[in-house]
């Protein structure tokens, strides 16, 4: 049993080291300061979270995915939201998302969402898979611009906020926060 725990610990350390190395390589090649892992959300987590949002009546208006990559959150929500919006700085990934969303009411924007203003509407479900530093920066933007909505924070928590519920699947956790400008989820 101790040997298995030791192997798991070594494997986890190796994966973290590899992820850090990959991130450093991508950071040096990017003209933007990256605030998110270049790693897609596991499909199991996306599907389980979308199902839970639907069951709770939170997925009806718009879904905004910040750092949408290939658009997997948008694709999963396409039949449940009236509008899908994704932001990413990688045009090649956005092209994959556009192809997958063909026929859905969507907008995929090649831009740094932190530099974009007034991107949220009342009632939005916002998906973000950001590092802690990115979450801190996003919190200020949400408090300034969102008003009322739902935040799905993948992998990392929004420090200082209490999640309404969590979904765990595919080795990651999605923490869901119900945001209200008058009383943030603390």
């Amino acid at each position: 049993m101790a040997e298995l725990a030791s192997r798991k610990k070594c494997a986890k350390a190796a994966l973290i080291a590899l992820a850090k190395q990959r991130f450093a390589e991508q950071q040096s090649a990017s003209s933007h300061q990256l605030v998110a892992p270049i790693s897609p959300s596991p499909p199991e987590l996306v599907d389980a979270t979308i199902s839970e949002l639907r069951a709770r009546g939170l997925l009806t208006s718009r879904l905004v995915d910040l750092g949408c990559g290939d658009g997997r959150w948008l694709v999963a929500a396409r039949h449940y939201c009236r509008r899908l919006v994704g932001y990413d700085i990688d045009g090649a990934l956005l092209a994959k998302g556009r192809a997958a969303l063909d026929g859905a009411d969507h907008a995929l924007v090649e831009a740094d969402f932190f530099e974009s203003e007034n991107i949220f509407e009342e009632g939005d479900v916002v998906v973000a898979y950001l590092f802690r530093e990115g979450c801190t920066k996003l919190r200020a933007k949400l408090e300034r611009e969102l008003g009322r909505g739902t935040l799905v924070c993948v992998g990392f928590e929004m420090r200082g906020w209490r999640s309404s519920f969590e979904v765990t699947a595919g080795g990651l956790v999605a923490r869901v926060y119900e945001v209200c400008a008058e009383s943030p989820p603390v």
Side-chain angles (χ1 to χ4, degrees):
M1 197 62 134
E3 184 180 328
L4 178 61
S6 177
R7 277 195 225 157
K8 284 183 176 181
K9 187 176 181 180
C10 287
K12 182 177 180 181
L15 285 172
I16 290 172
L18 184 61
K20 285 181 179 180
Q21 177 187 353
R22 182 174 179 217
F23 177 76
E25 290 167 359
Q26 291 167 332
Q27 180 68 51
S28 65
S30 176
S31 61
H32 289 81
Q33 176 65 35
L34 300 179
V35 294
I38 311 291
S39 176
S41 299
E44 307 90 345
L45 180 67
V46 174
D47 293 341
T49 305
I50 293 293
S51 292
E52 188 63 28
L53 290 167
R54 286 188 60 227
R56 293 176 183 245
L58 296 171
L59 194 64
T60 57
S61 183
R62 282 190 344 154
L63 185 127
V64 180
D65 188 353
L66 306 176
C68 66
D70 63 6
R72 64 186 58 208
W73 283 92
L74 303 170
V75 170
R78 72 184 295 167
H79 299 294
Y80 314 113
C81 295
R82 70 172 168 78
R83 182 104 169 110
L84 306 163
V85 180
Y87 285 83
D88 206 288
I89 58 174
D90 187 330
L93 285 174
L94 288 173
K96 289 180 184 179
R98 281 188 188 92
L101 287 166
D102 186 42
D105 185 5
H106 70 279
L108 296 182
V109 182
E110 187 172 350
D112 180 338
F113 59 84
F114 283 120
E115 295 173 6
S116 302
E117 293 186 20
N118 301 316
I119 62 174
F120 306 118
E121 291 180 6
E122 190 83 7
D124 278 351
V125 173
V126 178
V127 176
Y129 187 177
L130 305 172
F131 292 128
R132 282 189 179 88
E133 301 79 19
C135 288
T136 300
K137 195 172 176 182
L138 177 60
R139 178 180 172 170
K141 185 171 185 65
L142 289 172
E143 288 175 345
R144 198 173 51 252
E145 294 181 19
L146 181 56
R148 181 181 304 274
T150 303
L151 170 65
V152 177
C153 209
V154 179
F156 296 92
E157 66 184 337
M158 187 64 72
R159 289 188 176 176
W161 285 7
R162 186 183 352 225
S163 61
S164 300
F165 62 94
E166 297 180 355
V167 178
T168 303
L172 275 178
V173 176
R175 291 170 181 83
V176 180
Y177 304 88
E178 292 180 46
V179 179
C180 178
E182 299 86 51
S183 58
V186 291

